[in-house]
Amino acid sequence: MHGAHGVGYETYSRKHEVRMKVEKKRQEEHMKCQQMVANLEKKIHS
């Protein structure tokens, strides 16, 4: 947790604002990865 997001689990679990920031970053990274996969699949099947 600390290495990937710069916060420890204790801080993450206690502070709602920190948790929301981490989850927003996770969601953005997930969407970015999904888009990369879709682009690669499109290139493979073209």
Side-chain angles (χ1 to χ4, degrees):
M1 176 67 80
H2 196 274
H5 301 289
V7 270
Y9 184 76
E10 184 176 347
T11 303
Y12 172 84
S13 63
R14 288 186 180 190
K15 296 189 177 186
H16 180 74
E17 184 177 307
V18 171
R19 190 166 45 245
M20 291 296 102
K21 186 176 180 180
V22 168
E23 292 305 322
K24 182 178 180 183
K25 183 179 175 185
R26 283 183 177 174
Q27 181 67 24
E28 290 170 354
E29 289 173 354
H30 176 73
M31 295 300 289
K32 187 176 178 180
C33 289
Q34 291 293 85
Q35 185 64 42
M36 286 179 11
V37 168
N39 287 340
L40 286 172
E41 287 180 345
K42 187 176 178 181
K43 287 180 181 182
I44 290 171
H45 298 294
S46 294

